[in-house]
């Protein structure tokens, strides 16, 4: 296996099933000087499972400013650091961006170690168009929410969102009101025991989850604005033959 460099390694970890980690990721986590983890207690399950004894340190949204500069100092002194999040790929709706930029500014090498990301697994099995898509992460909870939804209404690519169980009904309802009825898929508990893909339209799913609760981790995928896409194509065809 590769020798460890004085670098920041961005290591993807499983999104549920502990077997979904690469040999390379385990090697890196075993070999670096320090693992910066979003939640050291959460990550201790994964690290324990693979018998990884590397020292961990917390790196999360509440200590991001102080910890970014401390980690940069450690990297500048020659250490190797792996950054992991609670699940999936660091930087995808998880802290990493600031540390990555601080490393780039300080000429510290940043090395990605690829692996699971919930939105990719959800998208590929959704049956929705995968050729082009837009990943929005979590919609804003309050400020900017409505304008984001309005902007997404015209989006022709498949729209991929992260959502929590207690907000999913509200989100489905607001999207149905704004977009009109459109095909969508709710991907739940990916790679875990109760993995499920719920297919329907925005209205159907909004109605279903008005009375029924949904548990676990969720990815919501909505078909792009196909009518708009077809209209643009029709107009182009018209212009071409005129
Ligand atoms: N970094 C992660 C990634 O690469 O996907 C995302 C972290 S974000 C804080 C957590 C959100 O990701 C969850 O609220 C859910 O929307 C989605 N997610 C994470 N794991 C999931 C899973 N196993 N099944 C479905 N969605 C998941």
């Amino acid at each position: 296996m590769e020798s460890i460099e004085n670098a920041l390694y961005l290591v993807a970890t499983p999104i549920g099933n502990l077997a979904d980690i690469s040999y390379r990721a385990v090697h890196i986590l075993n070999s670096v000087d320090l693992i910066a983890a979003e939640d050291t207690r959460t990550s201790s399950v994964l690290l324990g499972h693979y018998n990884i004894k590397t020292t961990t340190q917390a790196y999360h949204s509440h200590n991001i400013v102080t910890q970014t500069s401390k980690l940069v100092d450690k990297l500048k002194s020659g250490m190797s650091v792996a950054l992991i999040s609670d699940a999936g790929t660091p930087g995808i709706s998880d802290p990493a961006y600031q540390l990555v930029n601080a490393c780039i500014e300080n000429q510290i090498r940043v090395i990605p170690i690829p692996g699971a990301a919930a939105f990719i697994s959800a998208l590929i099995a959704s049956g929705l168009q995968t050729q082009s898509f837009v990943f929005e992460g979590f919609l804003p909870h309050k400020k900017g929410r409505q304008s984001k939804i309005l902007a997404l209404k015209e989006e022709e690519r498949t729209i991929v969102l992260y959502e929590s169980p207690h907000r999913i009904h509200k989100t489905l309802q607001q999207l149905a009101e704004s977009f009109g009825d459109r095909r969508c898929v709710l991907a739940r508990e990916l790679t875990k025991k109760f993995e499920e893909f719920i297919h329907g339209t925005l209205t159907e799913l909004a109605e279903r989850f008005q009375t029924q609760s949904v548990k676990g981790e969720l990815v919501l995928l909505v078909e792009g604005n196909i009518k708009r896409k077809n209209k643009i194509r029709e107009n182009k065809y018209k212009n071409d033959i005129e």
Side-chain angles (χ1 to χ4, degrees):
M1 278 278 187
E2 72 201 76
S3 56
I4 299 298
E5 294 188 41
N6 164 221
L8 172 70
Y9 291 88
L10 301 171
V11 181
T13 57
I15 54 168
N17 188 324
L18 289 183
D20 288 333
I21 189 163
S22 70
Y23 290 117
R24 187 177 178 213
V26 173
H27 167 68
I28 301 289
L29 292 176
N30 253 318
S31 316
V32 286
D33 298 312
L34 179 70
I35 297 173
E38 196 184 356
D39 183 331
T40 51
R41 270 182 310 176
T42 303
S43 295
S44 68
V45 177
L46 174 77
L47 301 178
H49 184 80
Y50 286 99
N51 203 20
I52 295 165
K53 302 224 159 51
T54 310
T55 309
T56 58
Q57 179 184 312
Y59 183 77
H60 47 69
S61 47
H62 304 296
N63 70 5
I64 220 158
V65 177
T66 49
Q67 285 308 312
T68 296
S69 67
K70 280 187 186 161
L71 286 170
V72 166
D73 286 345
K74 286 182 175 155
L75 284 153
K76 276 163 96 177
S77 76
M79 285 175 76
S80 54
V81 176
L83 178 66
I84 58 174
S85 59
D86 284 351
T89 301
I92 301 299
S93 298
D94 271 334
Y97 177 79
Q98 282 178 339
L99 184 57
V100 168
N101 273 288
C103 286
I104 293 167
E105 273 165 26
N106 285 278
Q107 279 93 44
I108 297 162
R109 205 170 158 208
V110 180
I111 304 177
I113 309 296
F119 78 93
I120 294 287
S121 294
L123 177 68
I124 58 170
S126 68
L128 297 179
Q129 184 58 255
T130 57
Q131 199 180 5
S132 64
F133 62 91
V134 54
F135 171 66
E136 284 288 338
F138 293 96
L139 286 174
H141 290 175
K142 289 196 179 98
K143 198 165 170 272
R145 183 175 172 92
Q146 206 46 46
S147 53
K148 171 59 80 180
I149 290 175
L150 273 178
L152 286 174
K153 185 182 173 180
E154 305 303 329
E155 178 55 65
E156 294 162 16
R157 298 167 289 181
T158 300
I159 300 159
V160 189
L161 302 168
Y162 283 166
E163 195 45 281
S164 67
H166 74 276
R167 279 182 191 274
I168 192 67
H169 173 249
K170 182 181 169 190
T171 298
L172 286 164
Q173 207 172 26
Q174 288 180 331
L175 292 181
E177 276 163 19
S178 171
F179 293 9
D181 215 9
R182 268 202 220 167
R183 197 177 156 199
C184 70
V185 179
L186 194 61
R188 192 173 84 82
E189 292 288 88
L190 294 166
T191 78
K192 303 186 205 176
K193 191 175 172 192
F194 296 107
E195 179 179 274
E196 186 181 17
F197 286 85
I198 306 167
H199 297 261
T201 66
L202 285 168
T203 315
E204 283 166 1
L205 265 55
E207 275 170 15
R208 175 169 167 178
F209 295 116
Q210 189 168 19
T211 47
Q212 192 184 320
S213 67
V214 59
K215 285 191 187 131
E217 297 195 277
L218 306 172
V219 184
L220 175 63
L221 306 103
V222 186
E223 185 172 60
N225 190 339
I226 284 175
K227 278 193 194 139
R228 182 184 144 91
K229 200 175 187 174
N230 290 343
K231 207 167 190 176
I232 291 169
R233 275 212 196 113
E234 269 169 31
N235 286 341
K236 189 180 174 303
Y237 179 68
K238 249 201 242 158
N239 291 340
D240 284 351
I241 55 171
E242 269 167 15

